[in-house]
Amino acid sequence: MARLPRFILPDQPQHVILRDNNRTEIFCVEADYRFYLDKLRLACQKHGCDIHAYVLMTNHVHLLITPHKEQSLSKALQMLGRYYVQFFNHCYRRTGTLWEGRYNNL
């Protein structure tokens, strides 16, 4: 069964939560946080999102982000996820997914 499309209103702030898979760490050292934030900034610039606030916990992320187009948020998070998972898996010699499915937005 196909996933239902998300209901996104452009120019309205979204609270996004990204959780790790199996409650493992997604940030182990300071360089992990810096890489994630750098790629978050690049992804948001490329896909038209404004970041208002973020909280990076060791095993999950909270973002307050405003997409300017209907697909902006999903495209930005997809780009960010691809960069970060590849980086994390390479650094820690692991394979597979890092995230617990799609992001949640409240």
Side-chain angles (χ1 to χ4, degrees):
M1 179 178 195
R3 293 179 176 173
L4 294 175
R6 294 189 182 271
F7 181 69
I8 301 289
L9 291 173
D11 300 318
Q12 295 299 310
Q14 301 284 316
H15 176 200
V16 174
I17 303 170
L18 294 160
R19 295 194 187 280
D20 71 308
N21 197 20
N22 297 324
R23 296 184 180 168
T24 58
E25 289 185 335
I26 55 174
F27 302 109
C28 300
V29 296
E30 187 177 334
D32 297 345
Y33 292 100
R34 282 188 265 126
F35 184 89
Y36 187 89
L37 290 174
D38 183 49
K39 295 307 178 190
L40 174 62
R41 182 182 51 79
L42 290 174
C44 286
Q45 286 174 350
K46 181 176 180 177
H47 294 290
C49 295
D50 292 332
I51 306 163
H52 306 293
Y54 59 85
V55 177
L56 306 181
M57 307 297 283
T58 57
N59 65 357
H60 69 284
V61 174
H62 291 267
L63 303 170
L64 184 58
I65 189 168
T66 299
H68 294 294
K69 295 180 183 174
E70 191 172 330
Q71 298 299 314
S72 294
L73 182 58
S74 61
K75 295 282 186 191
L77 293 178
Q78 182 181 47
M79 179 180 165
L80 171 63
R82 285 182 176 158
Y83 275 117
Y84 190 71
V85 171
Q86 185 177 21
F87 165 80
F88 191 86
N89 284 350
H90 175 75
C91 287
Y92 299 101
R93 296 181 181 168
R94 61 181 305 277
T95 60
T97 187
L98 187 60
W99 308 112
E100 184 184 71
R102 296 196 302 173
Y103 66 90
N104 294 319
N105 59 333
L106 306 173

